[in-house]
DNA sequence: TAATGTGAAAACCTTCACAGCT
DNA sequence: AGCTGTGAAGGTTTTCACATTA
């Protein structure tokens, strides 16, 4: 059987964590760190950090550790975070508005270009200088502005339908806030943000 | 070595998903389902569902499947979702307000009882009928109202400090929205909601 | 017949432990 | 001396496959 990629997904999920911790350390004036010190900050074993990094190359110096800034650069590059990723918000209810407005919600590099909604009263209005467009303009807008990421903030009841619409566009990744487990073709990247699931599993350990 | 619990955490994380899908199916009028049909709705293999359930008992009937409503009840009971869980929001900025206001953000059984902030201008005000209290009242309020869950929506810079404060109260679980990997004692349950990490790992697959 | 429940196998991920480099 | 990079070991999770039962 052919493997899509040889890097485990769990490893990819940890890389942004490394970048974040390294950036803090850089801000604190550290120039070199060991896997041990990075690990203790993140509560991850040093061996795991070294193993994770080893999937991509050999970035450390034996006896010394890693150069903070160059490791940040390397990881940023691996994840493709050295480019700008245009995104859009679909669904401009309370949640959608909060997402568009929340400063630092969307980090450097992720630019929200447009917002879509089906509510006739909302269309034409602006949120944080982003004009709300009708849903039927998604396809053309996505194409025109090279939007690759959709942030989905519609009610659960319409989420699957909207996703089916999105599949038909140039959107390549969906950050889904609707509390459903949507079906997407394997070519599309999907991440779910689902605080309710987190709450509902925590209680098991509280009894 | 002693195992804390014999049920893998991944299994616990999937149970709320099962409840959700089963509830939908129940609403659709289905009374009996097989692991196959439940799995196809959630894109999980039937074997995994059967294995997961087998950690807790034998709930199915060979040749038939599972009774939807009784499985919902069983899982709800296992997770402790048949009780009410009092919670509080710490940090009433834009995000905190959105959390308090968002309908269905907090599902049945999770009741937000109080909100805390350190901003003198906010203290005394109400959001969605919940009065904002000063931080130094957390300890007593949590005790008084039997609050077990804290939803943390403070800025990243103060998150670790607030968590350290929370550790000293009767709070047993934290749903953390701050973009940090906080250190908590192993007695406290922690779940992080971190959309930024999700975005930053998605891009790896978009290149 | 149709589907569960479950040991055993396979796949996957983490940790160990140490050779090797600075 | 100190720390990386990495095969190998160990542990965990998923999948297989089938005996069993309604």
């Amino acid at each position: 059987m052919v493997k899509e990629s040889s890097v485990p997904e769990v490893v990819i999920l940890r890389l942004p964590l490394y970048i974040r911790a390294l950036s803090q350390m850089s801000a604190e004036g550290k120039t070199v760190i060991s896997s041990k010190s990075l690990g203790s900050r993140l509560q991850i074993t040093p061996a795991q950090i070294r193993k994770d990094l080893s999937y991509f190359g050999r970035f450390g110096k034996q006896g010394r550790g890693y150069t903070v800034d160059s490791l940040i650069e390397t990881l940023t590059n691996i994840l493709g975070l050295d480019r700008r990723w245009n995104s859009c918000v679909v669904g401009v209810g309370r949640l959608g508005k909060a997402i568009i407005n929340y400063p630092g919600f969307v980090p450097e590099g992720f630019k929200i270009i447009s917002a879509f909604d089906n509510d006739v009263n909302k269309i034409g209005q602006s949120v944080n200088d982003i004009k709300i467009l009708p849903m039927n303009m998604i396809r053309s807008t996505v194409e025109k502005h090279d939007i690759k990421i959709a942030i989905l903030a519609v009610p659960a009841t319409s989420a699957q339908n909207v996703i089916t619409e999105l599949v038909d566009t140039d959107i390549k990744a969906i950050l889904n806030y609707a509390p459903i487990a949507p079906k997407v073709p394997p070519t599309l990247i999907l991440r779910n943000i689902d605080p309710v699931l987190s709450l509902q599993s925590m209680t098991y350990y509280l009894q």
Side-chain angles (χ1 to χ4, degrees), chain A residues 93-114:
Chain A
R94 250 196 286 237
L95 177 60
K97 280 200 184 100
I99 291 170
I100 296 171
N101 276 313
Y102 192 53
F105 203 93
V106 163
E108 300 290 312
F110 295 92
K111 177 107 179 112
I112 296 180
I113 296 280
S114 23

PDB file of all heavy atoms in Angstrom, chain A residues 93-114:
ATOM      1  N   GLY A  93     -23.160  34.897  11.629  1.00  0.00           N
ATOM      2  CA  GLY A  93     -23.981  35.066  12.828  1.00  0.00           C
ATOM      3  C   GLY A  93     -23.082  35.566  13.944  1.00  0.00           C
ATOM      4  O   GLY A  93     -22.030  36.133  13.699  1.00  0.00           O
ATOM      5  N   ARG A  94     -23.531  35.328  15.171  1.00  0.00           N
ATOM      6  CA  ARG A  94     -22.744  35.782  16.311  1.00  0.00           C
ATOM      7  C   ARG A  94     -21.320  35.219  16.278  1.00  0.00           C
ATOM      8  O   ARG A  94     -20.347  35.938  16.448  1.00  0.00           O
ATOM      9  CB  ARG A  94     -23.431  35.352  17.605  1.00  0.00           C
ATOM     10  CG  ARG A  94     -24.002  36.534  18.362  1.00  0.00           C
ATOM     11  CD  ARG A  94     -24.327  36.156  19.784  1.00  0.00           C
ATOM     12  NE  ARG A  94     -25.535  35.329  19.841  1.00  0.00           N
ATOM     13  CZ  ARG A  94     -26.613  35.658  20.558  1.00  0.00           C
ATOM     14  NH1 ARG A  94     -26.634  36.777  21.240  1.00  0.00           N
ATOM     15  NH2 ARG A  94     -27.667  34.871  20.589  1.00  0.00           N
ATOM     16  N   LEU A  95     -21.242  33.913  16.033  1.00  0.00           N
ATOM     17  CA  LEU A  95     -19.927  33.267  16.029  1.00  0.00           C
ATOM     18  C   LEU A  95     -19.053  33.792  14.894  1.00  0.00           C
ATOM     19  O   LEU A  95     -17.900  34.164  15.101  1.00  0.00           O
ATOM     20  CB  LEU A  95     -20.086  31.747  15.926  1.00  0.00           C
ATOM     21  CG  LEU A  95     -18.803  30.937  15.828  1.00  0.00           C
ATOM     22  CD1 LEU A  95     -17.922  31.166  17.044  1.00  0.00           C
ATOM     23  CD2 LEU A  95     -19.125  29.444  15.689  1.00  0.00           C
ATOM     24  N   GLY A  96     -19.622  33.846  13.701  1.00  0.00           N
ATOM     25  CA  GLY A  96     -18.881  34.334  12.545  1.00  0.00           C
ATOM     26  C   GLY A  96     -18.347  35.732  12.779  1.00  0.00           C
ATOM     27  O   GLY A  96     -17.180  36.034  12.476  1.00  0.00           O
ATOM     28  N   LYS A  97     -19.199  36.586  13.332  1.00  0.00           N
ATOM     29  CA  LYS A  97     -18.772  37.960  13.646  1.00  0.00           C
ATOM     30  C   LYS A  97     -17.622  37.950  14.645  1.00  0.00           C
ATOM     31  O   LYS A  97     -16.645  38.677  14.494  1.00  0.00           O
ATOM     32  CB  LYS A  97     -19.944  38.761  14.231  1.00  0.00           C
ATOM     33  CG  LYS A  97     -20.918  39.281  13.200  1.00  0.00           C
ATOM     34  CD  LYS A  97     -21.735  40.450  13.772  1.00  0.00           C
ATOM     35  CE  LYS A  97     -22.791  40.929  12.783  1.00  0.00           C
ATOM     36  NZ  LYS A  97     -24.148  40.396  13.070  1.00  0.00           N
ATOM     37  N   ALA A  98     -17.751  37.123  15.673  1.00  0.00           N
ATOM     38  CA  ALA A  98     -16.694  37.041  16.687  1.00  0.00           C
ATOM     39  C   ALA A  98     -15.376  36.614  16.052  1.00  0.00           C
ATOM     40  O   ALA A  98     -14.321  37.153  16.360  1.00  0.00           O
ATOM     41  CB  ALA A  98     -17.092  36.073  17.794  1.00  0.00           C
ATOM     42  N   ILE A  99     -15.452  35.667  15.137  1.00  0.00           N
ATOM     43  CA  ILE A  99     -14.246  35.184  14.470  1.00  0.00           C
ATOM     44  C   ILE A  99     -13.607  36.295  13.655  1.00  0.00           C
ATOM     45  O   ILE A  99     -12.396  36.523  13.700  1.00  0.00           O
ATOM     46  CB  ILE A  99     -14.575  33.975  13.569  1.00  0.00           C
ATOM     47  CG1 ILE A  99     -14.941  32.769  14.434  1.00  0.00           C
ATOM     48  CG2 ILE A  99     -13.406  33.644  12.638  1.00  0.00           C
ATOM     49  CD1 ILE A  99     -15.507  31.597  13.674  1.00  0.00           C
ATOM     50  N   ILE A 100     -14.439  37.030  12.913  1.00  0.00           N
ATOM     51  CA  ILE A 100     -13.911  38.105  12.078  1.00  0.00           C
ATOM     52  C   ILE A 100     -13.298  39.208  12.944  1.00  0.00           C
ATOM     53  O   ILE A 100     -12.276  39.794  12.601  1.00  0.00           O
ATOM     54  CB  ILE A 100     -15.025  38.688  11.178  1.00  0.00           C
ATOM     55  CG1 ILE A 100     -15.514  37.617  10.193  1.00  0.00           C
ATOM     56  CG2 ILE A 100     -14.529  39.909  10.421  1.00  0.00           C
ATOM     57  CD1 ILE A 100     -16.745  38.013   9.412  1.00  0.00           C
ATOM     58  N   ASN A 101     -13.921  39.473  14.079  1.00  0.00           N
ATOM     59  CA  ASN A 101     -13.472  40.586  14.923  1.00  0.00           C
ATOM     60  C   ASN A 101     -12.344  40.264  15.878  1.00  0.00           C
ATOM     61  O   ASN A 101     -11.568  41.125  16.242  1.00  0.00           O
ATOM     62  CB  ASN A 101     -14.655  41.089  15.775  1.00  0.00           C
ATOM     63  CG  ASN A 101     -15.507  42.072  15.025  1.00  0.00           C
ATOM     64  OD1 ASN A 101     -14.987  42.997  14.402  1.00  0.00           O
ATOM     65  ND2 ASN A 101     -16.807  41.856  15.040  1.00  0.00           N
ATOM     66  N   TYR A 102     -12.304  39.027  16.310  1.00  0.00           N
ATOM     67  CA  TYR A 102     -11.379  38.692  17.390  1.00  0.00           C
ATOM     68  C   TYR A 102      -9.937  38.947  16.972  1.00  0.00           C
ATOM     69  O   TYR A 102      -9.434  38.342  16.036  1.00  0.00           O
ATOM     70  CB  TYR A 102     -11.576  37.232  17.786  1.00  0.00           C
ATOM     71  CG  TYR A 102     -10.887  36.858  19.075  1.00  0.00           C
ATOM     72  CD1 TYR A 102     -11.102  37.586  20.239  1.00  0.00           C
ATOM     73  CD2 TYR A 102     -10.010  35.783  19.134  1.00  0.00           C
ATOM     74  CE1 TYR A 102     -10.479  37.248  21.423  1.00  0.00           C
ATOM     75  CE2 TYR A 102      -9.383  35.423  20.310  1.00  0.00           C
ATOM     76  CZ  TYR A 102      -9.623  36.171  21.455  1.00  0.00           C
ATOM     77  OH  TYR A 102      -8.995  35.837  22.628  1.00  0.00           O
ATOM     78  N   PRO A 103      -9.266  39.852  17.654  1.00  0.00           N
ATOM     79  CA  PRO A 103      -7.903  40.168  17.239  1.00  0.00           C
ATOM     80  C   PRO A 103      -6.986  39.032  17.676  1.00  0.00           C
ATOM     81  O   PRO A 103      -7.103  38.528  18.775  1.00  0.00           O
ATOM     82  CB  PRO A 103      -7.588  41.438  18.032  1.00  0.00           C
ATOM     83  CG  PRO A 103      -8.488  41.380  19.225  1.00  0.00           C
ATOM     84  CD  PRO A 103      -9.660  40.508  18.895  1.00  0.00           C
ATOM     85  N   GLY A 104      -6.119  38.616  16.816  1.00  0.00           N
ATOM     86  CA  GLY A 104      -5.230  37.520  17.169  1.00  0.00           C
ATOM     87  C   GLY A 104      -5.901  36.177  17.073  1.00  0.00           C
ATOM     88  O   GLY A 104      -5.307  35.146  17.346  1.00  0.00           O
ATOM     89  N   PHE A 105      -7.144  36.198  16.681  1.00  0.00           N
ATOM     90  CA  PHE A 105      -7.842  34.925  16.513  1.00  0.00           C
ATOM     91  C   PHE A 105      -7.219  34.214  15.327  1.00  0.00           C
ATOM     92  O   PHE A 105      -6.944  33.039  15.341  1.00  0.00           O
ATOM     93  CB  PHE A 105      -9.314  35.183  16.242  1.00  0.00           C
ATOM     94  CG  PHE A 105     -10.167  34.029  16.590  1.00  0.00           C
ATOM     95  CD1 PHE A 105     -10.751  33.946  17.836  1.00  0.00           C
ATOM     96  CD2 PHE A 105     -10.373  32.998  15.696  1.00  0.00           C
ATOM     97  CE1 PHE A 105     -11.529  32.854  18.175  1.00  0.00           C
ATOM     98  CE2 PHE A 105     -11.133  31.912  16.031  1.00  0.00           C
ATOM     99  CZ  PHE A 105     -11.723  31.835  17.283  1.00  0.00           C
ATOM    100  N   VAL A 106      -7.023  34.993  14.322  1.00  0.00           N
ATOM    101  CA  VAL A 106      -6.388  34.488  13.125  1.00  0.00           C
ATOM    102  C   VAL A 106      -4.980  35.082  13.082  1.00  0.00           C
ATOM    103  O   VAL A 106      -4.822  36.283  13.070  1.00  0.00           O
ATOM    104  CB  VAL A 106      -7.224  34.905  11.897  1.00  0.00           C
ATOM    105  CG1 VAL A 106      -6.424  34.778  10.639  1.00  0.00           C
ATOM    106  CG2 VAL A 106      -8.505  34.079  11.850  1.00  0.00           C
ATOM    107  N   PRO A 107      -3.989  34.221  13.157  1.00  0.00           N
ATOM    108  CA  PRO A 107      -2.618  34.711  13.314  1.00  0.00           C
ATOM    109  C   PRO A 107      -2.053  35.301  12.028  1.00  0.00           C
ATOM    110  O   PRO A 107      -2.667  35.249  10.979  1.00  0.00           O
ATOM    111  CB  PRO A 107      -1.873  33.440  13.674  1.00  0.00           C
ATOM    112  CG  PRO A 107      -2.627  32.373  12.966  1.00  0.00           C
ATOM    113  CD  PRO A 107      -4.062  32.792  12.992  1.00  0.00           C
ATOM    114  N   GLU A 108      -0.915  35.830  12.165  1.00  0.00           N
ATOM    115  CA  GLU A 108      -0.170  36.342  11.008  1.00  0.00           C
ATOM    116  C   GLU A 108      -0.218  35.328   9.868  1.00  0.00           C
ATOM    117  O   GLU A 108      -0.062  34.146  10.088  1.00  0.00           O
ATOM    118  CB  GLU A 108       1.301  36.546  11.386  1.00  0.00           C
ATOM    119  CG  GLU A 108       1.557  37.512  12.515  1.00  0.00           C
ATOM    120  CD  GLU A 108       1.264  38.942  12.099  1.00  0.00           C
ATOM    121  OE1 GLU A 108       1.725  39.353  11.025  1.00  0.00           O
ATOM    122  OE2 GLU A 108       0.547  39.629  12.862  1.00  0.00           O
ATOM    123  N   GLY A 109      -0.456  35.816   8.694  1.00  0.00           N
ATOM    124  CA  GLY A 109      -0.395  34.908   7.553  1.00  0.00           C
ATOM    125  C   GLY A 109      -1.749  34.393   7.111  1.00  0.00           C
ATOM    126  O   GLY A 109      -1.909  33.969   5.977  1.00  0.00           O
ATOM    127  N   PHE A 110      -2.712  34.432   8.027  1.00  0.00           N
ATOM    128  CA  PHE A 110      -4.062  34.020   7.644  1.00  0.00           C
ATOM    129  C   PHE A 110      -4.936  35.257   7.526  1.00  0.00           C
ATOM    130  O   PHE A 110      -5.334  35.854   8.515  1.00  0.00           O
ATOM    131  CB  PHE A 110      -4.654  33.061   8.672  1.00  0.00           C
ATOM    132  CG  PHE A 110      -3.911  31.769   8.754  1.00  0.00           C
ATOM    133  CD1 PHE A 110      -2.873  31.602   9.649  1.00  0.00           C
ATOM    134  CD2 PHE A 110      -4.237  30.722   7.902  1.00  0.00           C
ATOM    135  CE1 PHE A 110      -2.175  30.408   9.713  1.00  0.00           C
ATOM    136  CE2 PHE A 110      -3.536  29.522   7.964  1.00  0.00           C
ATOM    137  CZ  PHE A 110      -2.503  29.363   8.869  1.00  0.00           C
ATOM    138  N   LYS A 111      -5.231  35.617   6.319  1.00  0.00           N
ATOM    139  CA  LYS A 111      -5.965  36.860   6.093  1.00  0.00           C
ATOM    140  C   LYS A 111      -7.407  36.526   5.699  1.00  0.00           C
ATOM    141  O   LYS A 111      -7.645  35.804   4.732  1.00  0.00           O
ATOM    142  CB  LYS A 111      -5.264  37.644   4.975  1.00  0.00           C
ATOM    143  CG  LYS A 111      -5.954  38.914   4.579  1.00  0.00           C
ATOM    144  CD  LYS A 111      -5.204  40.149   5.059  1.00  0.00           C
ATOM    145  CE  LYS A 111      -5.911  41.418   4.618  1.00  0.00           C
ATOM    146  NZ  LYS A 111      -6.486  42.167   5.739  1.00  0.00           N
ATOM    147  N   ILE A 112      -8.347  37.058   6.470  1.00  0.00           N
ATOM    148  CA  ILE A 112      -9.752  36.874   6.104  1.00  0.00           C
ATOM    149  C   ILE A 112     -10.111  37.905   5.048  1.00  0.00           C
ATOM    150  O   ILE A 112     -10.085  39.110   5.290  1.00  0.00           O
ATOM    151  CB  ILE A 112     -10.681  37.002   7.335  1.00  0.00           C
ATOM    152  CG1 ILE A 112     -10.371  35.878   8.334  1.00  0.00           C
ATOM    153  CG2 ILE A 112     -12.142  36.939   6.901  1.00  0.00           C
ATOM    154  CD1 ILE A 112     -11.229  35.900   9.575  1.00  0.00           C
ATOM    155  N   ILE A 113     -10.396  37.406   3.861  1.00  0.00           N
ATOM    156  CA  ILE A 113     -10.622  38.258   2.698  1.00  0.00           C
ATOM    157  C   ILE A 113     -12.100  38.573   2.517  1.00  0.00           C
ATOM    158  O   ILE A 113     -12.476  39.674   2.182  1.00  0.00           O
ATOM    159  CB  ILE A 113     -10.115  37.545   1.415  1.00  0.00           C
ATOM    160  CG1 ILE A 113      -8.607  37.327   1.476  1.00  0.00           C
ATOM    161  CG2 ILE A 113     -10.523  38.293   0.176  1.00  0.00           C
ATOM    162  CD1 ILE A 113      -7.791  38.527   1.135  1.00  0.00           C
ATOM    163  N   SER A 114     -12.940  37.565   2.722  1.00  0.00           N
ATOM    164  CA  SER A 114     -14.368  37.846   2.569  1.00  0.00           C
ATOM    165  C   SER A 114     -15.221  37.013   3.499  1.00  0.00           C
ATOM    166  O   SER A 114     -14.755  36.065   4.121  1.00  0.00           O
ATOM    167  CB  SER A 114     -14.824  37.637   1.114  1.00  0.00           C
ATOM    168  OG  SER A 114     -13.989  36.774   0.412  1.00  0.00           O
TER     169      SER A 114
END
